[in-house]
Amino acid sequence: MSFEITILGSSAAVPVKGRHMTSQHVRIGNQQFLIDCGEATQHQLINLGISLHKIEHIFISHLHGDHFFGLPGLLSTMNMQRRTDPLYIHGPRGLDEVLLANFKHTKTDLSFKVFLYDNPTMFPEVIYENEKLTVETIPLTHRVPCTGFLFREKQKQYRIIPEKLPSGLPFEAFRALKRGEDIDFQGEQIFYKNVTLPPRKSRSYAFCSDTKYSKSVISKVYGVDLLYHESTFMHRHLDRANTTFHTTAHQAGTVAKEAKVGELLIGHFSARYGDLNNLLEEAREEFPNTELAKEGKQFTILERE
Amino acid sequence: MSFEITILGSSAAVPVKGRHMTSQHVRIGNQQFLIDCGEATQHQLINLGISLHKIEHIFISHLHGDHFFGLPGLLSTMNMQRRTDPLYIHGPRGLDEVLLANFKHTKTDLSFKVFLYDNPTMFPEVIYENEKLTVETIPLTHRVPCTGFLFREKQKQYRIIPEKLPSGLPFEAFRALKRGEDIDFQGEQIFYKNVTLPPRKSRSYAFCSDTKYSKSVISKVYGVDLLYHESTFMHRHLDRANTTFHTTAHQAGTVAKEAKVGELLIGHFSARYGDLNNLLEEAREEFPNTELAKEGKQFTILERE
């Protein structure tokens, strides 16, 4: 199953030539998600050849414009193109009011249903779940209520080794073996350990933006395969980071190191930095396996034993 | 004095790869204006190296998203960059409500004053005026209240021929001659016709989008130097144009021809058309001096005798 994150925007607060505001596209198997939706997110989706219509759920971290001002336009385009599938939006309280104000005056009667859910912000909570996946909030520390999102595959099943099975095994028996249960078949016991490989590891992706550096995040993202953590400032601008409730590259690296994640992506870069490699180097001093979350870059979390 | 129109977006309703939603930057002398502000207008300004901060007045034609969804983001960026000059926004009734809903939840307290004026939609009215210029509304026919905008230089002054003037002439006498008044100086009469050239022609630019083809527009834009007229569809899609209250390229050419304008720009192209040259050719059949209003193109109205 695929598990891919595509970066649509890396810029904090304001756009910079070549840098867009925060948004990420997440594809897990045949499901597609959007995290945040800064202005011109739909332009980025179109530029990168990603269909708007396959997005089922949109997760909005907080109500600062650089994270949601693209939402009315995206919904309008879905409407113009006659979307019929429902759309699920998980965002902070108040987002409904903003959307309603926009659509009231544009006299838009959407061609599809929008289900809007308020994000819980106090404690981590599962806000979406299907057979294979959960999405959980990560409470963050910012100037307005803000949550990150943790995408985590559920416990996977044991993998059948077909050549080890007798023929004629009923479907129910297959399913039991995959769950790790021993079965009886034609008077003989079949031990799941003998005919299966152990489940593949469940993969996970954590998105943390915007937030002040906070130790409480470390336990929430502990051991994830891929962590996106905002890294708005260089550590020499720590005062500015503290005042504006943002994180430095050094601090993002520290979170990744202490949380023992697999890989770190940094993004949400202040417009003051022309060369982002300085931010990258600073984070890598703490956590070498770090990359820049640049526009158009795709990060894949591979299946692992 | 410069009189330049820069096209920021040419696309109708939805963005297309390489085509942005409606917005135009107008520079007249040292004043800068914005007409409409579709999503990602600020990105286009940044891409084209136009300063956001020198824009004094923004004119919004109507409350369809592709003409104003970029406004909250543009204002946010002006705020982040600590604009202090007031900003004057002329838009349809209801725009205040949309902006307030956006800024309430982002907890934005703008660093500059915004003056919001409701556009009159029934009759042409001057909504902005300074020493040299008026901006007047053009009532249009669309699915929601909609106005175009007519930028027109005021009657210009007679141009002094310095070598024809006696030395020592007081400032007040200069001004009288420029107004076309004869003066007395040291007992002699000076006739303005002898010492001046006639005023240069007043230039004018009319912006008409979005609108159904309407003959009433012809008299409003009669004789303008440059007419931007929406041209959403080819004439073979006239039914669609009528249903959606838009204009065909043929009809836009007809308006330009009957209004005897100097030059026609067509824009607001439906996403269905990949090759815009067909629209251009269709309009040129009616009015040869037609150009496509493409992203990044600049149109200058030159001073004329």
Side-chain angles (χ1 to χ4, degrees), chain A residues 13-21 38-43 46-49 63-66 68-74 76-77 80-81 93-95 97-98 101-108 143-145, chain B residues 13-21 38-43 46-49 63-66 68-74 76-77 80-81 93-95 97-98 101-108 143-145:
Chain A
V14 298
V16 177
K17 203 164 181 170
R19 272 145 67 181
H20 279 252
M21 260 90 82
E39 185 177 352
T41 290
Q42 61 168 329
H43 296 66
I46 290 166
N47 287 340
L48 294 168
L63 291 186
H64 277 158
D66 56 327
F68 81 99
F69 276 170
L71 207 46
L74 179 67
S76 287
T77 298
M80 302 266 189
Q81 297 176 347
R93 191 181 299 270
L95 183 56
E97 196 183 323
V98 183
N102 278 293
F103 290 123
K104 173 183 164 191
H105 289 285
T106 57
K107 306 221 187 305
T108 303
R143 305 194 301 277
V144 294
Chain B
V14 299
V16 177
K17 204 165 180 169
R19 274 147 64 183
H20 279 251
M21 260 90 83
E39 185 179 351
T41 291
Q42 61 168 329
H43 296 67
I46 290 167
N47 287 340
L48 294 167
L63 292 186
H64 277 159
D66 55 328
F68 81 99
F69 276 171
L71 207 45
L74 179 67
S76 286
T77 297
M80 303 265 189
Q81 296 177 348
R93 194 181 298 270
L95 183 56
E97 197 183 322
V98 183
N102 278 293
F103 290 122
K104 172 183 164 191
H105 289 286
T106 56
K107 306 222 187 307
T108 302
R143 306 194 302 278
V144 294

Side-chain angles (χ1 to χ4, degrees), chain B residues 20-36:
Chain B
H20 279 251
M21 260 90 83
T22 302
S23 183
Q24 299 186 3
H25 179 261
V26 179
R27 187 193 307 260
I28 302 175
N30 55 9
Q31 273 203 298
Q32 298 192 24
F33 307 93
L34 197 68
I35 305 176
D36 281 349

